[in-house]
Amino acid sequence: QQQVKQSPQSLIVQKGGISIINCAYENTAFDYFPWYQQFPGKGPALLIAIRPDVSEKKEGRFTISFNKSAKQFSLHIMDSQPGDSATYFCAASKAPGGYQKVTFGTGTKLQVIP
Amino acid sequence: NAGVTQTPKFQVLKTGQSMTLQCAQDMNHNSMYWYRQDPGMGLRLIYYSASEGTTDKGEVPNGYNVSRLNKREFSLRLESAAPSQTSVYFCASSRSSGYTEAFFGQGTRLTVV
């Protein structure tokens, strides 16, 4: 049972453009939504995370938008750069805490071309 | 500043062979995890250890065993490897339960032929 659906599977964006990755979840008990960035040959690393009490969170060029009623959240990368080329995973978890409860999306491979 | 260290980085096994993947963290974290990553499947939890002395099954535990050797080390063992266990394996650790960040190792690429 896939509880977090991520799209698209792959994405090609021109340098300077906006990259948008979408995720949808089913379990309304989820209350923590992190995004991970993974470069080839490396492990995932936390990029940015949001809780459902806010609709948007911005860190530099990376923004998470959250729509609780639609059960959707998305990652926007503004002014995309070739160095942003990586695989991005959304995830979701619910209280009580514990990282073992995190459910990951299937990943989006982003390629930013010059 | 090693973080989470996994060994080996690459391994090829024949069907039926056994092996142990090693993981160590130097961040004094209480919780440790083993994931597998397969194309189109994301990361799936195999086993985890919420604290030293405890281990529990995750989403896909069949064919694996784990040992939390001490607070730093958490190993994953394949007793009789199968081609379906061909994957990239990641070890991770987090400070404790709750929404703390998890830190991942660089992964072990395992091929079972």
Side-chain angles (χ1 to χ4, degrees):
Chain A
Q1 180 185 357
Q2 186 182 358
Q3 297 189 57
V4 180
K5 295 184 178 180
Q6 184 171 350
S7 63
Q9 191 172 1
S10 63
L11 182 62
I12 299 175
V13 174
Q14 292 271 0
K15 178 182 176 181
I18 302 173
S19 303
I20 302 174
I21 303 170
N22 299 301
C23 285
Y25 62 98
E26 300 164 1
N27 190 337
T28 54
F30 284 150
D31 64 351
Y32 178 66
F33 302 91
W35 284 87
Y36 277 79
Q37 180 187 53
Q38 183 180 25
F39 292 106
K42 304 292 185 182
L46 180 66
L47 180 64
I48 186 173
I50 196 170
R51 295 183 187 270
D53 53 346
V54 297
S55 59
E56 186 175 282
K57 182 174 182 179
K58 185 176 181 180
E59 289 186 3
R61 295 183 294 107
F62 299 89
T63 300
I64 301 178
S65 297
F66 186 81
N67 186 331
K68 189 173 181 178
S69 61
K71 294 187 288 184
Q72 295 175 347
F73 57 110
S74 60
L75 176 69
H76 291 63
I77 306 173
M78 312 300 288
D79 186 26
S80 298
Q81 299 296 313
D84 297 331
S85 297
T87 299
Y88 292 83
F89 293 93
C90 63
S93 68
K94 61 180 180 179
Y99 210 79
Q100 63 272 17
K101 304 215 184 276
V102 175
T103 299
F104 288 87
T106 52
T108 296
K109 187 173 183 179
L110 171 65
Q111 184 181 0
V112 181
I113 55 177
Chain B
N1 245 18
V4 179
T5 302
Q6 291 182 235
T7 55
K9 287 186 168 52
F10 302 94
Q11 184 71 48
V12 178
L13 287 179
K14 293 182 178 179
T15 298
Q17 286 185 319
S18 62
M19 80 161 295
T20 299
L21 281 64
Q22 307 286 352
C23 175
Q25 53 90 9
D26 62 2
M27 296 173 282
N28 200 34
H29 285 171
N30 289 306
S31 303
M32 298 184 73
Y33 315 85
W34 277 105
Y35 290 90
R36 60 178 289 173
Q37 184 177 43
D38 302 292
M41 300 290 288
L43 288 153
R44 293 182 293 169
L45 184 66
I46 305 171
Y47 270 93
Y48 66 96
S49 171
S51 61
E52 186 179 357
T54 69
T55 61
D56 284 289
K57 295 178 181 179
E59 181 185 354
V60 288
N62 291 344
Y64 306 95
N65 284 300
V66 291
S67 296
R68 184 73 182 266
L69 304 171
N70 48 55
K71 191 172 185 179
R72 290 186 65 247
E73 299 173 287
F74 189 37
S75 62
L76 178 72
R77 182 161 178 84
L78 287 71
E79 290 291 352
S80 179
S84 61
Q85 294 178 305
T86 294
S87 187
V88 181
Y89 292 85
F90 288 99
C91 177
S93 70
S94 66
R95 189 169 57 203
S96 65
S97 61
Y99 303 119
T100 56
E101 178 179 356
F103 294 83
F104 286 78
Q106 292 200 337
T108 296
R109 184 173 292 276
L110 174 68
T111 303
V112 182
V113 298

